[in-house]
Amino acid sequence: MAETTTTGAAPAAAGQKAGAGVLVSRRRRRFSLLTRHDKLILGLMVGIPLAFDLALIWGPTLASVVLSFTNWDGIGSVTAQNFIGVKNYENLFGSYLFFRPALYHNIIWLAFLTLVATPLGIFLAVLLDREIRGTRIYQSIFFIPVVLPLVVVGFIWELQYAPTDGFINNALGLVKSHHIIDWLGNPNINLLAAVVAASWRHVGYVMVLYLAGLKSVDPSLREAAKVDGATERQTFFWVVFPVMAPINVIIVVITTIESLRAFDIAYIINRGKNGLELLSTLITNNSISEASLVGFGSAIAVVLLTISLVPIVTFLVSVNRNPT
Amino acid sequence: MGNKPPFGPSALDLDLSRRDVLKIMGYSSVAAFLAACSSGTTSGGSTTSTGGTVTVGSNASDPLPKKGMEMVNAAFTKANGGTVVKLNTVDHGTFQDQITSYLQGTPEDVFTWFSGHRMRFFADKGLVSSIDDVWDKVKSNFTDAFATSVKGNDGHFYGIPVDYYPWAVFYRKSVFADKGYKVPTTWDAFKALCVQMQKDGLTPLAMGDKDGWPAQGTFDILNLRLNGYDFHVELLTGKQKFTDPRVANVFSKWAEIAPYYNDGLAGMTWQQAAQLLVQKKAGMYVLGLFVSQQFASASAADLADLDFFAFPDLGTQYDAEKALDAPIDVVMMTKKSPTLSKERGQANAYLQFWSKGSTQLIASTAAPGVIPVANDTDTSGYDALTKKAVEIIKNAKRITQFFDRDSRPDFAGPNGMQSFLLSYLQSPKGNITSLQGKMQQFWDSLPPEA
């Protein structure tokens, strides 16, 4: 839909440039360009996705918000008796033991992806952009994890981390010397273990995005910088990086969203407990499980939605600003 | 995962007296019980049909139990005029997580489930069909204790018990013989054995609690031995508080054996921990009889080497109860299955078929680790392990199902008791009072169970 608005806005902008006097007549002509058939097609192209969007995204979202004020257990229909006001939120912010750890873990996840994984992906992209020998092979290797679903990534890393029969402890000789590191079970390190697994995939993702961006940077900019006597580092940080602003925004948004929706790996490891609590696993464990605390789970979902709106709105604002 | 889990509140008691029944009925009121006594006459004869089809939703997703289910279905097809059984096997854990929406959506005609509290819950909600007509025909094949285990709060019957299994302390006979270990019957002997095993280079106790529920078995047995059946059941249903000093007692006793667990217990599944026992790296393992599946997969010799003993006495008045967890599996009939009205006859026949000892034997032979419950089961082929398992359950005066079946699922789950026990195992000598406070605080924050 963003597509439609942008293309629609372009002729209007052109009209404005042409001068206010002819604006009215131009508008009329623009409309007359559309036949009835065109309008029908346009209506369908906008209407069908819009209907899906309303039914599949806005509907469930609003339903979650409504359910968050109930104590519905998922059985039968929601009745007036189910409405309990803001009690779920009081409980969530007041006494629920797992909310604060989950929030911290999401923040740690975000911090690690932002400070370690994303810069590493960018670094790899810059290296590979220099046309070193075998660049395509490296690209493929780093990109392969991106093709895998996170669930599979979770399984792969679970096998690496397993205490006695996992690869890491055996490779380090820890199983033989009876000094097992409990990567998955020690609540002080299992979050780090999980986020490393997530980074394994994230690095490749960022690398590919950034590499595509780097390829589109005008080579004359670099040449000009070189002529001016800039070092490689200076060229990257003062010339290339600022030019890449649109890609940078996308990467920041993707990193944030990846951290907020982090779920699969923690859930596969131990269903998000014992140091791996995340907002998403709390939602699942409360509402889509035998516990059936649908109302309470929805309240957590609404909190996560509210947090997610921050990067989403930032992204939309920046995208809508860019075309002009 | 491969857990063989946990069921509802105890309804199985083999030394059954009228008083016991009342006690055991835990959740149901006396009125419901009395109503139950007079309700047996409501049903007419069940109608069974041959041929056609019947659909079955199964949580038997591990290889051996799955094979057992398929063998039973094949036998049913043969015995019931070619009735086609459409089997839908769902991963055990997933099946459990989605049970509420499953039963409300378009479930199969018949499904596998657990007896007790969670069975009665869905019966109360009207999501499962009562099968009084079938039960009337087959009830002579079950003891009263099993009958109680499939009776709803309304006095109607909702399931056919198909198997059960005890929780105990498992070990390898050859290891005990080689090292000259004796089966400990007291707490001190048990601890002394742990010390000795450690000296001999063994991990005394195996534990794999990544999935969160295995440690609940140890909590159950310690609480039963220390504080008795009544307290345990009341604690798990909210009539006693987790801040009770008696609960603190459980954790301080537990702390005496916690140092003898293997490293990495919070990162290992029960199957991975069982491998420590299979490979003779660990000496003992507190788990359900289903641990034998891991031995069966290893080799017949390994399976023959597996043995167990009852959890040792703790020197309290409750030792005499000989209580233990012995969960019962059942097959039940859904209510919302779109095909049920058409296939009710076949579904009835299918449930009847499961009530036979010969059927239950097919399943338990394919997947060792469970014991048939029907009276007419041919027990002559039982191996020593199964015979002993039958015996230990017979000796128990009180039987519970398992923590996460005797308690409400939102309390027992991953962001609940499973988390609390994992953090306990992280530092068994840590601040227990604060942990108990968290448990009670969490219980109090849950909405009333409808």
Side-chain angles (χ1 to χ4, degrees):
Chain A
M1 279 191 309
E3 203 72 13
T4 359
T5 19
T6 352
T7 44
Q16 266 165 1
K17 269 180 206 153
V22 289
L23 185 65
V24 178
S25 62
R26 283 260 177 138
R27 273 232 166 119
R28 203 169 287 148
R29 230 172 72 196
R30 187 163 69 91
F31 271 99
S32 67
L33 282 174
L34 293 174
T35 64
R36 188 179 286 182
H37 182 251
D38 289 343
K39 282 182 188 164
L40 183 71
I41 296 286
L42 269 181
L44 284 176
M45 283 172 72
V46 174
I48 293 175
L50 185 68
F52 274 113
D53 188 49
L54 286 176
L56 299 177
I57 297 177
W58 286 96
T61 307
L62 288 176
S64 290
V65 175
V66 172
L67 284 175
S68 73
F69 297 103
T70 70
N71 62 3
W72 192 48
D73 63 359
I75 297 177
S77 49
V78 184
T79 62
Q81 291 161 339
N82 287 121
F83 283 88
I84 51 168
V86 294
K87 216 176 140 199
N88 284 332
Y89 292 95
E90 278 172 21
N91 185 3
L92 184 59
F93 295 119
S95 65
Y96 190 54
L97 295 162
F98 304 100
F99 178 66
R100 218 156 288 195
L103 198 60
Y104 286 146
H105 296 159
N106 271 102
I107 292 171
I108 292 170
W109 200 285
L110 173 65
F112 192 90
L113 287 195
T114 312
L115 301 177
V116 180
T118 301
L120 188 62
I122 292 177
F123 180 65
L124 288 177
V126 171
L127 284 187
L128 292 176
D129 188 42
R130 297 165 61 96
E131 301 293 338
I132 46 176
R133 196 140 40 122
T135 179
R136 268 167 210 283
I137 295 170
Y138 290 124
Q139 276 181 39
S140 314
I141 290 173
F142 291 125
F143 190 66
I144 281 173
V146 186
V147 183
L148 300 174
L150 271 169
V151 181
V152 176
V153 174
F155 278 126
I156 291 175
W157 280 87
E158 200 187 14
L159 295 175
Q160 309 301 312
Y161 284 132
T164 48
D165 39 15
F167 174 76
I168 297 178
N169 279 348
N170 279 295
L172 296 176
L174 298 172
V175 176
K176 264 197 185 136
S177 64
H178 296 285
H179 290 96
I180 288 172
I181 299 176
D182 195 355
W183 299 103
L184 302 173
N186 182 339
N188 300 318
I189 56 172
N190 59 5
L191 185 72
L192 196 67
V195 81
V196 163
S199 303
W200 182 62
R201 185 172 180 274
H202 189 72
V203 165
Y205 196 10
V206 168
M207 179 200 78
V208 166
L209 282 176
Y210 217 77
L211 200 54
L214 285 174
K215 296 277 183 226
S216 66
V217 171
D218 189 346
S220 61
L221 283 175
R222 290 175 201 256
E223 280 159 24
K226 214 172 188 179
V227 170
D228 288 347
T231 62
E232 287 278 350
R233 261 177 72 171
Q234 283 170 327
T235 311
F236 178 75
F237 281 108
W238 297 103
V239 178
V240 178
F241 193 75
V243 170
M244 299 270 288
I247 300 276
N248 292 339
V249 170
I250 289 176
I251 283 177
V252 167
V253 170
I254 283 174
T255 305
T256 316
I257 290 177
E258 284 282 326
S259 323
L260 287 174
R261 66 166 204 185
F263 170 77
D264 318 54
I265 292 174
Y267 196 74
I268 280 179
I269 291 175
N270 65 8
R271 298 189 53 188
K273 58 176 180 277
N274 191 36
L276 286 180
E277 293 87 356
L278 294 169
L279 290 175
S280 55
T281 59
L282 288 190
I283 297 170
T284 310
N285 285 340
N286 276 293
S287 49
I288 322 174
S289 74
E290 221 193 327
S292 263
L293 297 173
V294 179
F296 186 63
S298 301
I300 308 175
V302 169
V303 171
L304 182 56
L305 173 71
T306 315
I307 299 173
S308 306
L309 283 178
V310 176
I312 291 170
V313 168
T314 315
F315 176 67
L316 288 181
V317 165
S318 101
V319 162
N320 287 339
R321 206 187 283 148
N322 274 340
T324 53
Chain B
M1 307 284 119
N3 50 343
K4 255 289 166 179
F7 307 90
S10 174
L12 173 74
D13 187 329
L14 295 143
D15 279 359
L16 201 77
S17 73
R18 187 181 172 77
R19 246 188 96 186
D20 285 334
V21 172
L22 284 174
K23 262 190 204 164
I24 291 160
M25 293 286 285
Y27 304 95
S28 60
S29 64
V30 176
F33 174 72
L34 292 175
C37 293
S38 59
S39 71
T41 53
T42 48
S43 56
S46 80
T47 43
T48 58
S49 322
T50 53
T53 52
V54 63
T55 56
V56 176
S58 164
N59 65 357
S61 56
D62 278 3
L64 295 180
K66 191 174 174 205
K67 198 175 124 221
M69 178 54 109
E70 284 161 0
M71 286 165 72
V72 166
N73 290 345
F76 174 69
T77 303
K78 213 166 161 193
N80 204 51
T83 304
V84 178
V85 182
K86 286 189 187 156
L87 179 67
N88 175 21
T89 304
V90 178
D91 168 70
H92 203 295
T94 311
F95 190 88
Q96 210 161 321
D97 286 341
Q98 298 178 342
I99 186 73
T100 309
S101 51
Y102 171 75
L103 290 177
Q104 289 188 93
T106 53
E108 278 80 24
D109 303 334
V110 176
F111 70 109
T112 56
W113 195 233
F114 319 114
S115 86
H117 184 45
R118 287 302 276 172
M119 183 202 84
R120 290 199 279 270
F121 175 78
F122 291 117
D124 286 345
K125 293 285 180 183
L127 293 175
V128 292
S129 304
S130 86
I131 53 157
D132 291 353
D133 44 358
V134 177
W135 184 256
D136 265 356
K137 281 194 177 171
V138 304
K139 63 184 174 191
S140 61
N141 207 14
F142 297 96
T143 60
D144 285 353
F146 286 116
T148 316
S149 78
V150 290
K151 187 149 52 175
N153 292 328
D154 57 2
H156 293 289
F157 290 88
Y158 288 92
I160 303 288
V162 296
D163 63 49
Y164 69 148
Y165 53 88
W167 275 63
V169 187
F170 289 82
Y171 67 95
R172 292 193 72 134
K173 283 182 277 198
S174 61
V175 171
F176 270 49
D178 285 354
K179 306 267 163 94
Y181 300 146
K182 287 211 173 60
V183 167
T185 53
T186 66
W187 185 245
D188 288 335
F190 186 57
K191 284 192 293 180
L193 181 56
C194 287
V195 173
Q196 187 56 44
M197 284 181 171
Q198 205 159 43
K199 271 187 202 150
D200 296 342
L202 281 171
T203 298
L205 290 166
M207 171 65 90
D209 198 37
K210 184 151 84 84
D211 294 326
W213 55 267
Q216 293 178 338
T218 304
F219 179 88
D220 283 353
I221 193 68
L222 281 167
N223 197 27
L224 287 167
R225 284 284 188 281
L226 280 172
N227 304 318
Y229 171 87
D230 291 341
F231 177 78
H232 183 69
V233 169
E234 285 171 17
L235 179 70
L236 268 53
T237 48
K239 294 181 193 83
Q240 297 281 352
K241 301 233 176 264
F242 280 90
T243 44
D244 196 294
R246 283 175 282 185
V247 177
N249 226 351
V250 169
F251 287 115
S252 64
K253 272 283 177 226
W254 198 344
E256 293 174 22
I257 54 165
Y260 301 113
Y261 287 131
N262 48 277
D263 288 336
L265 65 90
M268 287 160 80
T269 61
W270 73 261
Q271 291 97 331
Q272 287 168 329
Q275 286 306 313
L276 297 178
L277 199 65
V278 173
Q279 296 161 8
K280 303 189 182 182
K281 287 178 183 160
M284 298 179 282
Y285 193 7
V286 178
L287 205 74
L289 185 63
F290 55 83
V291 71
S292 56
Q293 284 173 19
Q294 294 293 308
F295 282 74
S297 313
S299 80
D302 285 311
L303 183 59
D305 196 30
L306 179 68
D307 201 354
F308 66 86
F309 55 86
F311 198 82
D313 288 345
L314 286 174
T316 68
Q317 54 172 311
Y318 302 110
D319 286 337
E321 290 182 349
K322 299 273 172 219
L324 50 80
D325 280 328
I328 303 168
D329 296 319
V330 301
V331 290
M332 297 171 66
M333 202 181 284
T334 61
K335 191 159 239 169
K336 308 226 162 161
S337 164
T339 50
L340 186 59
S341 58
K342 197 174 67 191
E343 295 168 358
R344 180 73 192 230
Q346 284 86 352
N348 282 342
Y350 187 74
L351 290 185
Q352 273 191 35
F353 189 70
W354 262 111
S355 72
K356 292 180 188 167
S358 53
T359 309
Q360 300 184 356
L361 203 56
I362 296 175
S364 67
T365 310
V370 293
I371 311 168
V373 296
N375 288 339
D376 69 346
T377 309
D378 174 13
T379 58
S380 61
Y382 280 9
D383 57 15
L385 193 70
T386 310
K387 277 184 191 147
K388 199 168 169 185
V390 172
E391 206 54 35
I392 190 180
I393 298 176
K394 266 193 186 148
N395 288 336
K397 296 196 177 55
R398 294 288 181 276
I399 285 177
T400 46
Q401 296 285 321
F402 194 77
F403 192 101
D404 62 4
R405 291 292 131 190
D406 290 333
S407 191
R408 44 186 304 176
D410 43 8
F411 181 77
N415 297 132
M417 195 62 177
Q418 292 187 2
S419 282
F420 298 136
L421 290 186
L422 275 162
S423 53
Y424 167 74
L425 288 172
Q426 200 66 35
S427 54
K429 301 238 184 300
N431 188 345
I432 299 307
T433 317
S434 129
L435 187 68
Q436 286 178 272
K438 284 182 185 171
M439 291 175 184
Q440 191 57 41
Q441 182 193 340
F442 181 57
W443 182 285
D444 293 338
S445 76
L446 294 169
E449 199 175 22

